[in-house]
Amino acid sequence: MPTITSTAWGESPAGKVSLFELTNDQGNTLSLTNYGGIVTSIVIQGKEMVIGFDNLESYLGEHPYYGALVGRYGNRIGGSQFSLDGKTFMLEPNNNGNQLHGGPRGFNDHLWGVDTATTAEAAIVTLSHISPDGDQGFPGELRVSCRYEWTNDNELRLYYEARTNKPTIVNLTNHTYFNIGNEENILQQTLHLKADRFTPVNDEMIPFGENLSVRGTPFDFTTAKEIGRDIMADHPQIALANGYDHNFELNDYDGSLKEFALVTDPASGRKLRCFTTEPGVQIFTANFAVGQFKGRGGTDLPTYGAICLETQHFPDSPNQANFKTPRLDPGQVYSTTTVYRFE
């Protein structure tokens, strides 16, 4: 039967932090902390699958949202503002005048309440948080929970829920950096995406408001190809991001749980299969300069050292009439699911 071990992991400005190690019947482990809902480690048959740190102090310093639970709004909101019912809300900026991942103190920077449970099939940690009205500029008190299930099938199942007492916007995601291979980068791994369209952006990474066909572009993963094949292609969108940092519109979205991506490491045979109920996914290939960020053991994170598959509503959706609205009203329940399965 799966098990959960809890250990004291230091103290954050918000209070004492715990680390939870979830072990399934195969002996594979997932570790997460109630600080920021961060997935710190996933070990399958002795192989570490995610980028992260071994201590809390590193997560309290500068890092690119390693493993974090992101909110209230994952991705960017242009100009750090949006309107609802004729009223404009000014948000706290933290990205060239825009807001990224919920602002300077997003959900990744809070201590969350914790409940744990086990079943015959999974170890479960449920995190909860109350974001007050006006937090980072967002309207409404938002009551949020995220249930992490680590199953005997080596699945990380994420169930997000949120409720509000005023009209607001919500877009929660997980920002784990995956590297399922044995090399320091993910360039030789392959990606298959069930996405015929992607979202081009301006030089501040804000969408123009339309999704374009991937056909004939470096963004075409409709047939599996090496992630590194076109990552330095002569294309203006690639040049903007130094690789991939773009939203993809998932095919046949209807709100049900569907497989949308398969990452494969040909050298080892490992696979990461991804499912979501969301309409989009931000594919980010850790396009940082070498040494810009550290990783486990204090080593430099290499350029293209990991891939993020951040399931989401589209970037800047509150300001884009063509995108599905992230609006949440009182009496409604925001509820989404994302699954990462290791094979």
Side-chain angles (χ1 to χ4, degrees):
M1 184 168 175
T3 61
I4 301 174
T5 302
S6 173
T7 57
W9 213 46
E11 190 155 347
S12 74
K16 295 184 183 302
V17 176
S18 297
L19 185 71
F20 300 87
E21 184 176 84
L22 287 60
T23 305
N24 66 17
D25 283 356
Q26 298 186 43
N28 298 321
T29 61
L30 179 146
S31 297
L32 68 106
T33 174
N34 59 332
Y35 176 75
I38 294 168
V39 174
T40 64
S41 173
I42 299 176
V43 178
I44 309 287
Q45 297 179 342
K47 164 68 170 78
E48 177 61 73
M49 298 291 183
V50 306
I51 306 299
F53 299 120
D54 295 319
N55 58 75
L56 174 63
E57 290 73 23
S58 296
Y59 286 106
L60 296 177
E62 186 179 7
H63 66 92
Y65 299 92
Y66 286 148
L69 199 173
V70 171
R72 287 189 188 194
Y73 197 93
N75 219 307
R76 293 172 176 85
I77 296 179
S80 296
Q81 63 179 357
F82 69 96
S83 296
L84 275 182
D85 301 329
K87 182 177 179 180
T88 298
F89 294 91
M90 303 303 300
L91 306 177
E92 293 290 336
N94 64 333
N95 183 251
N96 300 318
N98 306 303
Q99 191 188 80
L100 174 66
H101 294 332
R105 191 161 186 247
F107 287 174
N108 60 290
D109 196 28
H110 285 271
L111 205 58
W112 290 63
V114 183
D115 284 306
T116 63
T118 55
T119 69
E121 297 299 326
I124 303 166
V125 172
T126 302
L127 301 182
S128 58
H129 175 63
I130 300 175
S131 175
D133 186 12
D135 186 11
Q136 305 298 291
F138 291 96
E141 178 185 88
L142 193 73
R143 293 178 176 263
V144 188
S145 69
C146 182
R147 186 166 87 247
Y148 298 70
E149 294 190 0
W150 181 236
T151 77
N152 290 333
D153 293 327
N154 297 321
E155 290 179 337
L156 168 56
R157 303 182 68 90
L158 296 165
Y159 300 92
Y160 304 93
E161 281 196 359
R163 294 171 173 83
T164 183
N165 63 358
K166 293 181 181 179
T168 192
I169 60 171
V170 187
N171 187 31
L172 307 180
T173 193
N174 176 271
H175 211 309
T176 295
Y177 286 68
F178 297 100
N179 185 344
I180 65 172
N182 297 322
E183 301 299 323
E184 68 170 9
N185 63 51
I186 45 91
L187 297 178
Q188 303 305 311
Q189 295 172 33
T190 66
L191 174 64
H192 178 208
L193 270 181
K194 295 181 179 180
D196 293 337
R197 303 174 73 80
F198 80 106
T199 309
V201 292
N202 64 21
D203 58 4
E204 293 185 349
M205 305 303 289
I206 304 299
F208 293 111
E210 59 180 348
N211 292 328
L212 300 182
S213 173
V214 300
R215 304 295 180 183
T217 78
F219 296 87
D220 190 348
F221 290 94
T222 54
T223 300
K225 70 176 180 183
E226 287 188 347
I227 295 169
R229 193 182 84 179
D230 297 323
I231 204 166
M232 290 174 277
D234 183 15
H235 188 283
Q237 289 291 308
I238 291 288
L240 276 176
N242 190 37
Y244 298 103
D245 188 9
H246 292 77
N247 176 70
F248 288 76
E249 178 184 351
L250 302 182
N251 296 344
D252 303 321
Y253 167 74
D254 61 7
S256 64
L257 186 68
K258 294 181 179 180
E259 183 173 352
F260 69 89
L262 175 63
V263 181
T264 302
D265 178 49
S268 67
R270 299 186 193 105
K271 296 180 180 180
L272 174 62
R273 201 175 293 274
C274 309
F275 308 76
T276 193
T277 60
E278 289 283 76
V281 61
Q282 186 85 1
I283 299 296
F284 178 50
T285 47
N287 310 324
F288 308 114
V290 175
Q292 184 175 349
F293 294 105
K294 299 291 184 181
R296 216 175 298 278
T299 58
D300 289 340
L301 176 67
T303 308
Y304 312 130
I307 184 171
C308 301
L309 303 103
E310 305 161 59
T311 57
Q312 60 178 14
H313 279 50
F314 303 162
D316 199 37
S317 287
N319 298 313
Q320 304 287 350
N322 294 332
F323 294 170
K324 179 175 171 58
T325 179
R327 177 175 179 143
L328 181 69
D329 286 311
Q332 296 179 332
V333 179
Y334 169 96
S335 179
T336 72
T337 302
T338 292
V339 178
Y340 300 105
R341 179 192 297 163
F342 297 87
E343 299 178 353

